[in-house]
Amino acid sequence: MGSWQRFMLFGGVSFRGSGGTCAPFRASRVSRVFRRQLSGAESETLKQRRTQIMSRGLPKQKPIEGVKQVIVVASGKGGVGKSTTAVNLALALAANDSSKAIGLLDVDVYGPSIPKMMNLKGNPELSQSNLMRPLLNYGIACMSMGFLVEETAPVVWRGLMVMSAIEKLLRQAISQMKWELWQVDWGQLDYLVVDMPPGTGDVQLSVSQNTPISGAVIVSTPQDIALMDAHKGAEMFRKLHVPVLGLVQNMSVFQCPKCKHETHIFGADGTRRLAQTLDLDVLGDIPLHLKIREASDKGQPIVFSQPGSDEAKAYLRIAAEVVKRLPPPLE
């Protein structure tokens, strides 16, 4: 009988010498014994068993009806320009290939910003099957909690209610649940861009565990505080087996409109250093520019309103890099 088996059978007591005296195993000794005794075959068996146990109770992933590929845009911290990136990424995907149908989903239940950025108001119409039809602008099909509540009304919900709402915003299939009118008819989409809320909480887990995601784009400023959370966000997606397509370095540099002097307000190339640490690519740099902010506030995203600007071209390049890294679409 091996040492670790004796430990398991006799409650942490190791028998030593011919006299039968006993002494308790120390934790460090137990660890060394485990590492020594668990050979390749045993270790692999335990890994498989652990995976089976961890997978119990997790929801099965269900594709969204009519949607070929889902791209999530996420960040660890709020205020880094994630929603602006998601909106312009969706528009850039359409601009780069006019044959593609693009959708944009805002799952930030507590602070939806897509309605304002996409200049959309009103309630979604219902199909004959009582499914909500996304609102359309600039050729992009959009859905957001902001279409379902008053602009200034707070959403005071607990986690389970939020998860139920997210599930219904994602899917087309009719359920028997109370909120069945929240189901969405996405039609046929090549890409659905999902604007995630900041952090690594319930919403991120719900979307990642319930829906096959083609890839995640992590947005961060070069600031150390933002990069710490971006690192956590990237690792979360990896643990959930979601491919991380790369990082976007947002607000990378500010150029004075008068003297053209460049200032790295949030630091220089911090996102690039993080990308090297994570063995990922930087998909592109977006400057801190007045044009981008003004265009977003007016509901005329810069990729649509100023397609020839350097800022819009930066988003177009990012969209092209995203498409290069996507796996083959679901058929």
Side-chain angles (χ1 to χ4, degrees):
M1 181 183 295
S3 299
W4 71 274
Q5 291 171 309
R6 290 202 303 274
F7 175 80
M8 297 298 291
L9 286 174
F10 298 108
V13 175
S14 171
F15 293 89
R16 298 178 180 175
S18 60
T21 57
C22 60
F25 255 131
R26 294 181 180 275
S28 60
R29 176 168 172 75
V30 173
S31 177
R32 289 196 300 271
V33 171
F34 266 104
R35 287 197 296 267
R36 191 165 56 245
Q37 293 292 332
L38 291 180
S39 61
E42 290 174 312
S43 179
E44 187 62 31
T45 300
L46 283 178
K47 285 181 181 179
Q48 293 175 0
R49 180 62 176 160
R50 189 183 302 115
T51 300
Q52 292 174 357
I53 293 172
M54 292 296 290
S55 64
R56 289 176 182 174
L58 292 178
K60 292 184 178 179
Q61 290 188 335
K62 298 176 291 183
I64 303 173
E65 185 73 22
V67 177
K68 292 182 179 179
Q69 294 188 295
V70 177
I71 304 166
V72 297
V73 179
S75 67
K77 183 175 290 297
V80 298
K82 171 185 50 59
S83 294
T84 303
T85 301
V87 166
N88 284 287
L89 173 61
L91 288 163
L93 288 169
N96 283 343
D97 189 344
S98 59
S99 69
K100 302 297 185 183
I102 315 296
L104 179 60
L105 172 62
D106 182 359
V107 296
D108 192 345
V109 171
Y110 297 113
S113 52
I114 296 303
K116 182 173 181 61
M117 289 187 177
M118 291 295 288
N119 195 26
L120 287 167
K121 291 183 179 180
N123 301 120
E125 295 182 355
L126 296 179
S127 69
Q128 292 182 349
S129 302
N130 280 340
L131 304 178
M132 290 190 302
R133 291 197 177 103
L135 275 62
L136 190 70
N137 199 13
Y138 309 131
I140 308 295
C142 301
M143 182 53 64
S144 170
M145 177 63 70
F147 300 147
L148 307 175
V149 298
E150 294 294 330
E151 185 174 344
T152 58
V155 177
V156 187
W157 285 1
R158 293 188 182 274
L160 288 176
M161 296 177 70
V162 173
M163 295 308 100
S164 178
I166 296 300
E167 176 71 10
K168 289 162 185 58
L169 288 172
L170 280 169
R171 302 198 180 283
Q172 176 181 357
I174 299 177
S175 81
Q176 300 301 316
M177 299 175 70
K178 179 178 179 181
W179 301 94
E180 71 176 51
L181 290 185
W182 286 39
Q183 304 291 337
V184 178
D185 181 0
W186 284 106
Q188 298 297 314
L189 295 179
D190 293 285
Y191 305 118
L192 176 62
V193 178
V194 181
D195 179 19
M196 301 279 265
T200 56
D202 288 344
V203 173
Q204 288 82 356
L205 287 172
S206 179
V207 173
S208 300
Q209 291 176 348
N210 283 279
T211 308
I213 298 174
S214 299
V217 175
I218 308 296
V219 181
S220 181
T221 65
Q223 186 180 8
D224 289 346
I225 299 300
L227 293 169
M228 289 171 58
D229 291 336
H231 193 160
K232 295 175 186 176
E235 293 293 357
M236 177 201 70
F237 284 118
R238 283 178 165 174
K239 288 182 181 295
L240 295 172
H241 307 293
V242 174
V244 180
L245 304 178
L247 281 67
V248 171
Q249 183 165 253
N250 199 32
M251 308 183 199
S252 58
V253 65
F254 172 74
Q255 185 182 70
C256 175
K258 294 183 178 179
C259 69
K260 305 301 179 182
H261 176 73
E262 292 187 346
T263 303
H264 296 277
I265 295 176
F266 296 106
D269 289 331
T271 307
R272 295 188 181 279
R273 292 193 295 272
L274 176 60
Q276 291 177 353
T277 300
L278 295 171
D279 194 23
L280 293 170
D281 294 324
V282 174
L283 302 173
D285 289 77
I286 303 297
L288 178 61
H289 203 289
L290 183 62
K291 289 181 185 177
I292 298 175
R293 195 275 300 168
E294 289 179 338
S296 297
D297 286 351
K298 291 177 181 177
Q300 298 176 352
I302 198 161
V303 169
F304 171 80
S305 59
Q306 303 177 50
S309 66
D310 291 340
E311 293 74 30
K313 290 177 181 177
Y315 285 115
L316 294 171
R317 288 192 294 270
I318 289 172
E321 292 297 324
V322 166
V323 171
K324 285 181 186 177
R325 290 164 173 77
L326 287 173
L330 296 173
E331 297 298 337

